[in-house]
Structures are given as structure tokens and as C-alpha cells.
Amino acid sequence: GNSVTQMEGPVTLSEEAFLTINCTYTATGYPSLFWYVQYPGEGLQLLLKATKADDKGSNKGFEATYRKETTSFHLEKGSVQVSDSAVYFCALSDRGTSYDKVIFGPGTSLSVIP
Amino acid sequence: SQTIHQWPATLVQPVGSPLSLECTVEGTSNPNLYWYRQAAGRGLQLLFYSVGIGQISSEVPQNLSASRPQDRQFILSSKKLLLSDSGFYLCAWRYGGASTDTQYFGPGTRLTVL
């Protein structure tokens, strides 16, 4: 079946460091791919998405490119801030079903220290 | 614009007591609705989803149940809570149909069963 694998962390970085959180997926069709962010004590917020191969999603300085050849959707940011401390979830949408079940990775906890 | 509400925000309940969590969506009609649970330090587990009034599908058999009495209202219930029911419960919605597959999350309910 479809699945999402991501590095679980925790990841600790200094402010202004470069961030990469790896995400790979398994899917039989052509899923949409997402990154969600969860700040402490809150629900999930959509950070960015990509719907087809080679699409690049971007938001708030974060980027991820849909790589079909490597089945990956790695999240990157050039310079992290303390306010980026959160849990990041990679996810895919299993289109082809009536309810479009979204499959989430386990989440990666990021801590950014001043 | 669309908004999603969940209440209560936090809840502490004794083992064996009943549970009712409510989720409502504003600004859209006929949404797909979802209930997820997030155990401490863990990823998301899909519990129930609904594509219409009175239509509930369960992903995980357990002592929880869900109902959708109105188009934009989704309720999670239990007759007798277990310790293992503790967690962060998230409601999410998506536009009905296949036009888009992005899910939008509510702020969550933190449930502690003692």
C-alpha cells in the first residue's frame, strides 16, 4: 500500500543553519504531496504542497520539490529561525478513492536554538 | 473563508466515563470530515471519516464512535473511556468531491484519561 517515510529526529539546529528533512514515499498512482507543520499545542497547518512531478511547493522560505524518479519530497530551508521550531509531517494524498485518504509520515521534531 | 472549530480545547476525564468531542466547519458545504488521534510523541492515526450526513467509515475498530448529524458537524464519542484513549484529537475537513485533496485541520482537543 501507499506509505510515507521521513526522518524522525529530533533535529536540533542553530539559528540561520540550513535545514533538510528527508521524505520518501511509496504510491501506486500519482499522489499529491504535502508538508504540514504543527507548532506546540496546536493543530496541523498546511505548509506547502505539490501535485505533480517536478512541481516545487514553497511557503515562508521553505521549499520542496516533487521528485518522481526518486519518490522523494524533501523539505528545505536556507536559514532557520527559532520560530520554526515545530513538528513537520510529510504526507501524500491517495487520489482514486472517494474520500482521498491522506497518509502521514511519523513527523520530524525540529528545535532551533539561538 | 472557511474555519473549523473544535471543543473543548482540553478535557480531563476518569476511566469509564463517556466522551463527546465536537467539530464544526463554517464557510463551506458538504465537506469531507475526518477524526485523527495523535498519541504523545507519535504520528497521526486516522480514526473516522465521513463524506456526508450519516455516512461514517471507521479506520480502526475500538471503543470510539463518530456521528455526523448535520452537514458541517462531526462528533466523536465513547461510552466508556480507557486510559489508552488519552491523546490529542484532531478534526479535519476537505472540500467534497475530487477538486482538491488538501485537508485543513482544527486546533485539536487534548484529552487526558486518568
Side-chain angles (χ1 to χ4, degrees):
Chain A
N2 297 342
S3 65
V4 175
T5 302
Q6 63 178 109
M7 52 193 292
E8 293 199 30
V11 175
T12 302
L13 294 174
S14 298
E15 207 166 18
E16 299 184 359
F18 184 86
L19 169 71
T20 299
I21 301 178
N22 290 337
C23 171
T24 57
Y25 67 91
T26 301
T28 54
Y30 300 92
S32 293
L33 301 174
F34 308 85
W35 278 101
Y36 282 85
V37 58
Q38 184 179 32
Y39 298 103
E42 298 183 8
L44 274 68
Q45 301 176 25
L46 177 66
L47 181 60
L48 52 86
K49 66 180 285 189
T51 58
K52 61 183 186 297
D54 299 326
D55 267 2
K56 177 185 284 189
S58 61
N59 185 25
K60 299 180 181 180
F62 291 90
E63 292 184 340
T65 301
Y66 190 144
R67 300 288 188 197
K68 191 172 186 300
E69 64 276 12
T70 55
T71 62
S72 66
F73 193 55
H74 304 323
L75 182 68
E76 297 181 336
K77 186 174 185 182
S79 176
V80 294
Q81 305 300 312
V82 172
S83 57
D84 294 326
S85 298
V87 180
Y88 292 83
F89 292 92
C90 185
L92 70 82
S93 171
D94 180 12
R95 281 179 284 178
T97 59
S98 61
Y99 57 92
D100 282 356
K101 179 178 174 180
V102 176
I103 297 169
F104 289 87
T108 300
S109 176
L110 170 66
S111 292
V112 180
I113 55 178
Chain B
S1 64
Q2 299 78 29
T3 56
I4 178 169
H5 304 280
Q6 285 186 246
W7 64 88
T10 59
L11 191 60
V12 180
Q13 292 284 94
V15 170
S17 63
L19 172 73
S20 180
L21 303 182
E22 190 164 342
C23 169
T24 58
V25 180
E26 296 178 354
T28 188
S29 58
N30 197 32
N32 287 9
L33 296 171
Y34 306 82
W35 277 112
Y36 292 87
R37 178 169 62 199
Q38 186 177 29
R42 306 278 299 271
L44 292 165
Q45 179 186 33
L46 178 63
L47 301 175
F48 301 94
Y49 65 93
S50 171
V51 299
I53 295 174
Q55 301 179 59
I56 307 296
S57 295
S58 173
E59 286 289 303
V60 183
Q62 53 202 329
N63 69 317
L64 299 173
S65 62
S67 62
R68 185 170 176 174
Q70 300 180 45
D71 181 44
R72 292 168 289 174
Q73 183 185 31
F74 205 23
I75 297 172
L76 182 69
S77 303
S78 173
K79 292 182 180 178
K80 285 187 177 182
L81 283 168
L82 306 173
L83 284 174
S84 57
D85 291 325
S86 292
F88 193 46
Y89 288 81
L90 291 161
C91 181
W93 73 274
R94 178 180 79 74
Y95 287 102
S99 60
T100 178
D101 44 17
T102 302
Q103 290 189 9
Y104 300 93
F105 285 80
T109 295
R110 173 85 50 199
L111 172 66
T112 303
V113 182
L114 301 175

